[in-house]
Amino acid sequence: MDKVLEAKNINKHFLKPKDFHVLKNISFAIKKGEFASIMGKSGSGKSTLLYILSTMDTEYTGELYLNEKLVTGRLPSELSRIRNEHIGFVFQFHYLLSEFSVLENVMLPAKKLARKTNQEIEFDAIQKLKMLGIENLAKQKASRISGGEKQRVAIARALINNPSILMGDEPTGNLDSYNSDNVFNIFKRLKEEEGLSLLVVTHDEDFAKRTDYIIEMEDGRIIS
Ligand SMILES: Nc1ncnc2c1ncn2[C@@H]1O[C@H](COP(=O)(O)OP(=O)(O)O)[C@@H](O)[C@H]1O
Ligand SMILES: [Mg+2]
């Protein structure tokens, strides 16, 4: 029992403006503690695939498993809980609530899950901020910190519920090389120290080469 994520024969069509077969028989699995990257030209279907894998898009055929349990076909309310509990997501743009403090942003997904008291959640959030070296920013408004810091806050937020897998869609796409390196090293440390599984779409070949393996996409297929 160590497959954290498995896709079996995922196919997807966009029907508008005309029928377009965007994902073609996508099958692969990520094991616990694996750090995989997805590369491929713009338009090859990477973001579309991540939306399906993160359970946000349910319009596809094939099967998606999380921790060896079938996720495909579940009700929207169940999917929302599964997503909040098991999947951390980091985007190119951070989507922090700018009027809230860093600490409040990180606490939000745990408050939504409602398994712990606010005090426990605050403690967890500070632990995550410490792990990312930004606990000194806890009380700052999210709008008042730098781009690299915002992305680290977004990672802390993605980790607050201790997900089974962290997914990223070009999480370093807006960062300079110093901050990209920083994010990569954080991901690597999460894999090595916490046994976290990661799946990250990137355009950065140096980043991808340092992951455990590269899933290469072309025209909606995995080619290697
Ligand atoms: N909502 C949509 N409706 C129709 N076509 C779409 C839609 N979203 C994306 N596409 C098309 O699907 C293809 C794959 O897009 P995407 O998954 O965003 O690629 P990538 O992330 O690899 O750049 C592209 O040709 C894009 O134009
Ligand atoms: Mg994309």
Side-chain angles (χ1 to χ4, degrees):
M1 154 43 228
D2 64 350
K3 279 186 216 161
V4 172
L5 180 86
E6 185 168 23
K8 278 191 185 165
N9 288 310
I10 302 257
N11 280 274
K12 179 177 176 71
H13 291 251
F14 283 119
L15 299 174
K16 283 181 212 164
K18 60 182 172 66
D19 184 20
F20 173 49
H21 194 175
V22 58
L23 295 176
K24 298 161 185 160
N25 293 316
I26 300 287
S27 297
F28 71 97
I30 307 270
K31 293 190 190 128
K32 182 166 166 41
E34 276 182 342
F35 183 0
S37 52
I38 302 182
M39 289 199 85
K41 290 200 183 99
S42 177
S44 56
K46 305 179 299 294
S47 295
T48 305
L49 177 61
L50 271 199
Y51 267 101
I52 291 173
L53 299 179
S54 61
T55 78
M56 291 188 272
D57 180 6
T58 55
E59 304 283 301
Y60 61 90
T61 61
E63 287 103 49
L64 174 64
Y65 297 84
L66 262 174
N67 297 319
E68 312 208 338
K69 287 195 201 97
L70 184 65
V71 166
T72 307
R74 305 271 195 107
L75 294 170
S77 57
E78 286 180 277
L79 289 178
S80 149
R81 186 195 51 76
I82 290 169
R83 189 158 59 235
N84 193 22
E85 191 167 6
H86 293 292
I87 303 173
F89 210 99
V90 184
F91 301 87
Q92 181 168 1
F93 184 70
H94 53 79
Y95 297 109
L96 299 178
L97 300 175
S98 55
E99 292 307 304
F100 284 61
S101 73
V102 161
L103 186 64
E104 287 163 333
N105 270 281
V106 175
M107 289 173 69
L108 266 177
K111 286 188 172 178
K112 190 176 167 205
L113 193 64
R115 292 258 170 86
K116 292 180 175 173
T117 65
N118 269 1
Q119 220 178 358
E120 289 170 311
I121 294 170
E122 184 169 326
F123 179 84
D124 290 351
I126 289 171
Q127 291 306 111
K128 301 298 178 198
L129 290 174
K130 277 187 184 156
M131 188 162 69
L132 299 177
I134 47 172
E135 73 271 28
N136 58 316
L137 300 177
K139 299 291 177 194
Q140 294 265 339
K141 248 192 193 182
S143 55
R144 301 287 300 271
I145 61 177
S146 76
E149 289 165 347
K150 281 179 185 154
Q151 199 57 313
R152 275 185 276 165
V153 176
I155 295 169
R157 182 186 52 185
L159 294 172
I160 189 67
N161 291 334
N162 298 314
S164 311
I165 185 164
L166 186 70
M167 297 186 196
D169 196 354
E170 304 193 28
T172 62
N174 268 329
L175 301 178
D176 58 24
S177 63
Y178 171 82
N179 281 299
S180 297
D181 232 43
N182 200 318
V183 166
F184 178 86
N185 290 331
I186 289 165
F187 286 171
K188 190 92 178 173
R189 218 173 68 222
L190 288 165
K191 165 199 159 76
E192 276 161 9
E193 292 174 12
E194 321 268 327
L196 188 68
S197 313
L198 299 107
L199 179 61
V200 177
V201 169
T202 181
H203 268 122
D204 181 344
E205 200 158 347
D206 292 329
F207 184 112
K209 276 186 186 148
R210 291 156 72 197
T211 63
D212 296 334
Y213 58 94
I214 303 176
I215 296 167
E216 209 180 328
M217 285 187 71
E218 192 177 293
D219 294 333
R221 288 181 206 282
I222 292 178
I223 55 167
S224 73

